[in-house]
Amino acid sequence: GAVVSQHPSRVICKSGTSVKIECRSLDFQATTMFWYRQFPKQSLMLMATSNEGSKATYEQGVEKDKFLINHASLTLSTLTVTSAHPEDSSFYICSASPGLAADTQYFGPGTRLTVL
Amino acid sequence: AQKITQTQPGMFVQEKEAVTLDCTYDTSDPSYGLFWYKQPSSGEMIFLIYQGSYDQQNATEGRYSLNFQKARKSANLVISASQLGDSAMYFCAMREGRYTDKLIFGTGTRLQVFP
């Protein structure tokens, strides 16, 4: 099946620093990718829709200046958590679809961010 | 109103038995898709099965089948012959409309399979 990778898988940073997370679709082109965050024992919460060649669409309540998304190519989207604080510590997961309204959507393995 | 409802926070099943995980959804769009994902403790989201709103037959994938009851707006996941490796969180999700890939997730059900 299609593979989506994420890097890094785990990151620990100091409060106030910025962290970049990469999401790559390895064997298909994805015009749209999605970024989720998941707190322990909770469901996935959609943060934003990443569109290749255009600005990301953020869900209500998600600060676009804090969570910068760049979709540089059809296989790469990046999420940068700027000026991270301990409350940003979470599990961040990206997903990509091989086509609009496809019958599956592939997820990356996730990135666990810990902000000290 | 919740778009996706999973009413079972936790379920237990004995190995080799079948188990049904409940999912109900709410949408007025005639075109939608329903997904089930498995999330083991490692955190990865593993796609299990998909059901389109216009599909006439219930989806099946190996030991997984989806009991799709459109009038009741339910899309329950049935796992047959449970295995210890099936222990994980299971999420039901919906794609609403035909011009989006955005998924809305339920709160999940933790399944534990015991010997």
Side-chain angles (χ1 to χ4, degrees):
Chain A
V3 178
V4 174
S5 70
Q6 260 184 262
H7 177 81
S9 58
R10 213 175 265 275
V11 58
I12 301 172
C13 69
K14 290 183 179 179
S15 189
T17 61
S18 294
V19 174
K20 180 186 282 188
I21 303 170
E22 291 187 349
C23 177
R24 292 180 186 274
S25 58
L26 298 183
D27 55 1
F28 65 96
Q29 294 183 330
T31 54
T32 304
M33 292 183 174
F34 300 90
W35 286 97
Y36 298 84
R37 69 187 296 183
Q38 185 181 30
F39 291 108
K41 300 189 188 302
Q42 294 189 23
S43 187
L44 279 72
M45 183 192 81
L46 180 65
M47 299 175 65
T49 303
S50 172
N51 304 298
E52 188 269 337
S54 64
K55 290 183 179 180
T57 305
Y58 291 82
E59 295 298 303
Q60 192 172 12
V62 177
E63 300 175 60
K64 61 180 181 181
D65 294 330
K66 181 164 187 63
F67 299 101
L68 300 179
I69 291 172
N70 182 267
H71 198 140
S73 73
L74 288 171
T75 58
L76 173 64
S77 175
T78 60
L79 168 68
T80 301
V81 183
T82 62
S83 186
H85 290 284
E87 56 265 30
D88 298 324
S89 298
S90 189
F91 192 58
Y92 293 86
I93 315 176
C94 69
S95 72
S97 175
L100 187 63
D103 59 3
T104 191
Q105 194 171 114
Y106 299 100
F107 282 78
T111 297
R112 189 162 301 283
L113 170 64
T114 303
V115 184
L116 303 176
Chain B
Q2 293 290 325
K3 290 280 187 178
I4 293 284
T5 302
Q6 294 181 255
T7 58
Q8 306 155 315
M11 289 284 285
F12 287 90
V13 65
Q14 190 166 30
E15 202 176 4
K16 300 179 185 176
E17 296 294 310
V19 63
T20 298
L21 306 184
D22 295 342
C23 174
T24 57
Y25 59 93
D26 181 31
T27 181
S28 56
D29 198 310
S31 179
Y32 53 89
L34 298 158
F35 300 75
W36 277 93
Y37 285 89
K38 171 185 177 181
Q39 187 179 42
S41 57
S42 59
E44 60 185 312
M45 294 288 285
I46 301 168
F47 167 74
L48 297 178
I49 198 166
Y50 167 83
Q51 181 85 43
S53 59
Y54 295 116
D55 293 344
Q56 295 294 313
Q57 295 192 331
N58 287 346
T60 60
E61 289 285 350
R63 295 187 297 113
Y64 305 107
S65 61
L66 201 151
N67 185 0
F68 182 44
Q69 298 191 32
K70 198 168 182 177
R72 295 179 59 187
K73 294 189 175 178
S74 74
N76 298 339
L77 177 70
V78 180
I79 306 175
S80 62
S82 298
Q83 301 172 356
L84 295 178
D86 292 335
S87 295
M89 280 292 289
Y90 288 80
F91 290 98
C92 179
M94 177 173 66
R95 183 193 64 234
E96 195 173 18
R98 66 174 67 206
Y99 298 113
T100 179
D101 284 321
K102 192 161 75 169
L103 295 182
I104 304 164
F105 281 85
T107 50
T109 296
R110 179 166 296 282
L111 175 67
Q112 291 186 269
V113 182
F114 59 93

